[in-house]
Amino acid sequence: MTTLKNDLLLRTLRGEKTERTPVWMMRQAGRYLPDYLKLKDKYSFFERVQRPELAAEITIQPVEQVGVDAAIIFSDILVIPQAMGMEVQMVEHKGPILPDPIRRASDLDKLRVPDVIESLGYVFEALRLTKKTLDGRVPLIGFAGAPWTLLCYMVEGKGSKTFDVAKAFCYTQPETANLLLQLITDTTIAYLKGQAAAGADVIQIFDSWGGLLGPEDFEALSLRYIRQIVAALKGHALLIIFAKGAWHSLEEMAATGADGLGIDWCIRPAMARQLAGPRVALQGNFDPAKLLSPIPVIRKEVRAMLDAFDGGPHIANLGHGILPNVPVDHARAFVETVKNYAYEPAE
Amino acid sequence: MTTLKNDLLLRTLRGEKTERTPVWMMRQAGRYLPDYLKLKDKYSFFERVQRPELAAEITIQPVEQVGVDAAIIFSDILVIPQAMGMEVQMVEHKGPILPDPIRRASDLDKLRVPDVIESLGYVFEALRLTKKTLDGRVPLIGFAGAPWTLLCYMVEGKGSKTFDVAKAFCYTQPETANLLLQLITDTTIAYLKGQAAAGADVIQIFDSWGGLLGPEDFEALSLRYIRQIVAALKGHALLIIFAKGAWHSLEEMAATGADGLGIDWCIRPAMARQLAGPRVALQGNFDPAKLLSPIPVIRKEVRAMLDAFDGGPHIANLGHGILPNVPVDHARAFVETVKNYAYEPAE
């Protein structure tokens, strides 16, 4: 096993004091990088995801070109529904389409809990290849969607602002919803253990649509299943939960034993710390749209964010994925400002 | 002036104890009601908004058919950009399109601060006609979009999940953004004073996209202008601010002197009360998607919501607009459960 040259992220997640704040960006591997766009012109989305040499190349681009402190494997949360037997189409400018969504109990018969090595081995291969190519430069992050977020797509069949079809499914057929969530959870646990075995040092659970649920529903439809995943991954990898908008359950998320919690820009860091308690690392929370500001404004605002996270372990990140139209030098300004924070005089 | 037979909403907003919790539903006039859909088949969206007899008929439908404790005038927040000189198209299933959006300082030259009687007199006429037809049965609510939410549409030119174009406009051209927000604010104040003069007892400010901003930006781009509106309306009408998702600024919103604050279903009522303080009425916060649940579940969940709002003035409402596919008897179950709350034995 290669010793990591930069293990800031891992030490922060373990609650250790570090010489500076580690930084990475959600969706850092992808759409705003010109070298990624060249690959996008040549290969379809699922070719890029499924061919380990392409996924590894895309994963490493931001490490080399933007200087982040961690790599996150280039993949997609919808590989799980795909492996469970659903068709997933990626439509440019429209997002994912699942043409044959789950709507009733009998639809579950179409799903399988797959052998993850058989159906998702390409992700493990991409992780192994990335790990080898990184050669200990930075840690490697694997990920999966939270069961609730995957249910949203599997039932709604497409993206949505409010996922009303998915919510109505849960409210009118709660037993079927729970069966589906448990199937997804079981698959996800096997998948993430495989990712850890293939070299992922850290796992992030993306609950992109957690914020659509009130606190009681978040517990019943999301956290209950995330808790199983966190427990199963203990000892396999460090774990971060990012449930966008679900600030109301930070205390409950911290109580799962997760090592880190992602937060978006709509909660003040001091409030997040108060809710989450002193132990867990907080990750975030720069407004991605602010990376469109002029660079001097970005530098000023990033320093203000770092000031606000004073006290308790912190991983600098955006509050959601980086936008496609962010100039690369703006992304670099974000990363560099974090790295230089301790050394620059305050304004 | 007609004496109101049911003034529960007004007394609750004034902080008085009432015999029961008043109830109405955002978007109650419209899309889930069969009688509305008949008018929709016959008249275009702007015909329904601009013809006072149609707007009044639609406004009163839920009072008669669902039994709500207030009427809210049938209109649209985008009548303001329209009155300021912008073209607004309503495209079925796609939402609003503003084909010539604001993108730079020179685009402001195309806008005017309109004479509201000339350009929006049809709203005042609809309010007067509604007031007369209601004949004191329930109070009448007028409304406007918050300046920030209107800027979102005027700059983005259409609906969006994240309004990145609008946000980038504010982050790269802050002076122009502030000029635009002030123009909208000035127009809105004149418009809302006109609504109060035409019979609106209560005004609600809808900041549908306030939740896209972090706390500092919400202050700079939204609350700063809402504050002007609240101050200008004092003595003209009671005022409710509903900034969806902006729970982080409940304290600051209460400090504007508003009489009521809307909250969505992602914040626990006790937390909202703690943040907002004891004075202001809280309005909400039933998840609109839950109205798709079976009626016994609706009744149970509505009672749980009312239990959770115990302590401090409360107006029962949804946490966002009612969905088009809600059966009318489900909407009625929501309203009736609130009305019968005190009289039913707890489960």
Side-chain angles (χ1 to χ4, degrees), chain A residues 153 159-165 167-168 171-172 209-217 245 247-249 252 265-268 271 274-275 287-294 297 301 320 323 325, chain B residues 153 159-165 167-168 171-172 209-217 245 247-249 252 265-268 271 274-275 287-294 297 301 320 323 325:
Chain A
Y153 288 104
S160 161
K161 270 187 209 174
T162 48
F163 284 96
D164 298 322
V165 176
K167 289 173 81 173
Y171 296 147
T172 54
W209 303 116
L212 297 178
L213 299 172
E216 287 80 18
D217 286 333
W247 64 273
H248 48 69
S249 297
E252 291 78 3
W265 61 97
C266 289
I267 183 163
R268 293 179 182 91
M271 169 73 109
Q274 188 189 320
L275 294 170
D287 182 346
K290 286 218 169 168
L291 286 189
L292 298 167
S293 309
V297 175
E301 300 262 354
H320 205 193
L323 297 168
N325 55 336
Chain B
Y153 288 104
S160 162
K161 269 186 211 176
T162 49
F163 284 97
D164 297 323
V165 175
K167 288 173 81 173
Y171 296 147
T172 54
W209 304 116
L212 297 177
L213 300 171
E216 289 79 17
D217 285 334
W247 62 274
H248 49 69
S249 297
E252 291 77 3
W265 61 96
C266 289
I267 183 164
R268 293 179 181 91
M271 169 73 108
Q274 189 189 320
L275 293 170
D287 182 345
K290 286 218 168 169
L291 286 189
L292 299 167
S293 309
V297 176
E301 299 262 352
H320 205 193
L323 296 168
N325 54 336

Side-chain angles (χ1 to χ4, degrees), chain B residues 309-328:
Chain B
F309 272 101
D310 182 42
H314 176 221
I315 301 155
N317 205 319
L318 308 176
H320 205 193
I322 188 167
L323 296 168
N325 54 336
V326 169
V328 179

